[in-house]
Amino acid sequence: MIPVSGVDGERIAVLGLGRSGRTTAAALRAGGATVVAWDDGPAGRAAAEAEGIELRDLARDGAMSDVAALIVSPGIPHLYPAPHPAIAAAWEAGVPVDNDIGLFFRSFGTEEWMRFDQPPKVIAVTGSNGKSTTAALIQHVLTEAGRESQLAGNIGRGVLDIDPPGDGGVVVLELSSYQTDLARSLTPDVAVFTNLSPDHLDRHGGMGGYFAAKRRLFAEGGPDRCIIGVDEAEGQYLANQLSESRADDRVIRVSVTRKLPEGWTVTARKGYLAENRKGRQVGAIDLRSIPGLPGAHNHQNACAAYAVARTLGLAPRVIEGAFASYPGLPHRSQLIAERRGVRFVNDSKATNVDSAVKALMAFDRVRWICGGLEKAGGLAALLPATGSVVKAYVIGREAESFATQLKGVDAEVCTTMAQAVARAAEEAEEGEVVLLAPAAASFDQYDSFEKRGDDFAAQVAALGV
């Protein structure tokens, strides 16, 4: 655990008592704070009470009178579509509002580091799509190279739940816009921006607010190195703002769509990763045969992870060897099984249109399982990517409405995962891929995208694969 610094003797309030909230409370108490906390759900309050955390309704009058700070869990809105009443109460009382990410960065360094040959480093990864795979891939490369590393944040352990790092240790954080938006302290050594596509727009008041939340990691944090995906205008803008000149190698540009100008760049075109620096190629990897990284979207993730590893001094051959053994993440282009020459791939994490497009483009002939709780913006942006789709099998409570938007695609309304998997398996031919890439949230039928992916895997297993 990372004890929170600067809170000894203070009373700190925690709003939201899920896993990260209770871990935050424990880390605050380890730092000498007295904690009062609240959760709007009775289950969260009961779990906290069982751990000896004092409960207090933080939205009631006077609840903030003796509180030095309010720490908010990521899922709780603090501005859009409306601030939680407890956050509004903190503003009214002049109480600073922060989150566990802010606490982590202000508490990470310790006096013990003075005895280290190499101070620990923090790698922070954000973006719309691919940040989980990128963060996990970075940590996998470091592990394979024999470097001490931990994975935390929006993936792995909570940031305050990790072990204090040792000499030369590396902490890899996946950070969502919910986490970067509110954190008062953001000071990574290396920051990564994968890409940007519309998501969580209600939470951020539109696309501008969403990008601004991501941009804070770079503008507020002042990282030593920035690795920026520049295949969207926002990435190009960010890289340009951070660079002092065309040759400024503090910024590494990443692309899977085109050749980049001079500077430090990592690109992947037609499956070949190339690192260029000072006008010459200094490293290359053939990504096409790496099973854990299929498709251009994963090649973008590989480019970002490669760039991070290079900033940490790892050789291209070491990185290539680690890539080859990367198993992939559950629910993200995860190969579940192969049956009579048909592959079954679980990409349940493809919860928005852009991530589903990337999943579809990774394969040539697809039996596509899609549908769920549709997000704002509709499905029109999907249609140009459906050329590889042999047939769609639509699930979800609004499956019929979802299917009618798939213009030009042979679509069958299945509603349930069991029926969709059975029908796709029955009709699939050798060389095809049965792909779960929903392009929608899961909450109409499942508690999470993980539960949806687990159901897909269970239905595939029931086929006798």
Side-chain angles (χ1 to χ4, degrees), residues 171-195:
V171 176
V172 184
L173 301 181
E174 181 203 334
L175 299 181
S176 72
S177 57
Y178 292 4
Q179 294 168 310
T180 58
D181 199 18
L182 191 59
R184 285 175 168 257
S185 180
L186 287 167
T187 53
D189 297 280
V190 181
V192 180
F193 176 87
T194 58
N195 51 57

Side-chain angles (χ1 to χ4, degrees), residues 15 39 42-43 63 66 74 122 140 151 179 187 202 218 247 249 275 327 331 352 371 384 401 403 419 427 440:
L15 179 63
D39 192 290
D66 60 348
V122 176
H140 176 78
L151 183 63
Q179 294 168 310
T187 53
D202 58 335
F218 304 85
D249 68 2
E275 176 193 4
H331 315 295
N352 59 42
S401 172
Q419 185 178 351
E427 297 184 343

Side-chain angles (χ1 to χ4, degrees), residues 243-422:
S243 301
E244 294 295 330
S245 69
R246 288 185 294 179
D248 186 351
D249 68 2
R250 294 173 305 166
V251 177
I252 306 174
R253 290 169 171 82
V254 166
S255 175
V256 293
T257 63
R258 64 189 185 279
K259 185 178 179 181
L260 295 176
E262 67 178 277
W264 195 350
T265 67
V266 182
T267 59
R269 304 177 71 196
K270 297 182 179 180
Y272 288 92
L273 181 152
E275 176 193 4
N276 285 275
R277 194 172 185 184
K278 296 180 179 178
R280 65 186 184 91
Q281 183 171 302
V282 295
I285 298 175
D286 184 353
L287 300 171
R288 296 173 302 169
S289 61
I290 297 175
L293 297 167
H297 62 306
N298 276 312
H299 295 171
Q300 183 186 55
N301 301 333
C303 286
Y306 176 97
V308 170
R310 293 291 281 146
T311 69
L312 296 176
L314 299 186
R317 283 187 298 176
V318 172
I319 303 168
E320 182 175 12
F323 279 5
S325 63
Y326 177 65
L329 281 176
H331 315 295
R332 297 161 177 87
S333 297
Q334 179 189 17
L335 179 63
I336 295 295
E338 187 166 343
R339 177 176 181 262
R340 295 198 296 271
V342 177
R343 287 176 290 165
F344 292 79
V345 176
N346 170 19
D347 204 333
S348 185
K349 185 62 169 66
T351 58
N352 59 42
V353 165
D354 188 67
S355 55
V357 165
K358 290 178 168 63
L360 289 171
M361 294 177 67
F363 305 103
D364 294 328
R365 290 179 57 79
V366 177
R367 301 277 174 175
W368 178 31
I369 299 176
C370 57
L373 189 62
E374 188 181 333
K375 293 189 175 181
L379 305 178
L382 264 174
L383 300 183
T386 57
S388 63
V389 176
V390 179
K391 185 175 178 179
Y393 305 83
V394 188
I395 63 173
R397 293 179 186 171
E398 304 297 329
E400 201 162 320
S401 172
F402 197 100
T404 60
Q405 297 183 61
L406 301 178
K407 307 295 185 184
V409 177
D410 181 12
E412 178 178 336
V413 173
C414 296
T415 307
T416 67
M417 184 71 74
Q419 185 178 351
V421 170

Side-chain angles (χ1 to χ4, degrees), residues 29 58 92 121 134 207 282 294 299 375 459:
R29 291 196 291 188
L58 298 172
E92 188 68 24
K121 291 183 179 292
T134 300
M207 196 68 176
V282 295
H299 295 171
K375 293 189 175 181
Q459 299 302 329

